[in-house]
């Protein structure tokens, strides 16, 4: 009952301010003020204010809002974790399967083991060259070996 009275008073005051604004020849602002001031009156007439008053004093309604809030927190947490991991479980499995198929069969063997790299595996002409004189192809072969080792 009090809420309806307050909303009606707010609507009447807003319409009065809108009338004064229209008298000052500011019709656009007056129309906007009238629209805002009619909102509380419309909410009272449709019963939304009664529903809100009943909801505000109902413990069951507050428990329902708590459950909705918990649901939203759980949903947003799972989405944040999903973004960090890089997609859903199906997407990760598909990517893992594609990665296994793309790997060469001998790629699982460690190719950069220092004991396995003997001077016989290096090209003869480049073994005595200084470090700064190495060609770009030699650097890329090391990178390729690292990528193959990791299955990329």
């Amino acid at each position: 009952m009090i809420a309806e009275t307050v909303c009606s008073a707010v609507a009447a005051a807003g319409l009065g301010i809108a009338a004064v604004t229209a008298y000052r020849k500011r019709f656009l602002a007056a129309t906007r003020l009238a629209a805002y001031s009619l909102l509380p009156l419309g909410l009272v007439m449709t019963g939304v204010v009664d529903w809100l008053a009943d909801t505000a004093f109902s413990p069951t309604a507050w428990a329902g809002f708590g459950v909705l809030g918990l649901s939203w927190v759980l949903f947003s947490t799972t989405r944040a974790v999903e973004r960090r991991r890089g997609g859903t479980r199906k997407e990760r499995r598909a990517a893992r399967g594609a990665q296994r198929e793309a790997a060469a069969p001998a790629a699982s063997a460690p190719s950069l083991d220092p004991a396995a790299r003997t001077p016989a595996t290096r090209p003869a002409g480049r073994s005595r060259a200084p470090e700064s004189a190495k060609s770009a192809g030699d650097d890329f072969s090391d990178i390729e070996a690292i990528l193959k080792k990791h299955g990329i």
Side-chain angles (χ1 to χ4, degrees), residues 22-100:
Y23 180 75
R24 293 182 180 171
K25 306 229 187 263
R26 297 183 60 205
F27 297 110
L28 187 62
T31 306
R32 192 176 300 122
L33 280 169
Y36 281 126
S37 63
L38 289 174
L39 281 176
L41 187 62
L43 291 174
V44 166
M45 294 174 80
T46 57
V48 173
V49 173
D50 287 333
W51 178 79
L52 284 174
D54 292 341
T55 303
F57 299 111
S58 169
T60 307
W62 283 107
F65 285 126
V67 169
L68 287 174
L70 177 65
S71 172
W72 179 81
V73 166
L74 292 174
F75 179 72
S76 61
T77 302
T78 57
R79 290 294 294 167
V81 169
E82 201 172 79
R83 282 190 201 120
R84 269 195 147 162
R85 287 188 179 174
T88 62
R89 177 179 281 180
K90 287 183 181 180
E91 292 169 351
R92 288 192 307 271
R93 281 187 182 167
R96 210 176 312 138
Q99 184 180 12
R100 286 183 186 153

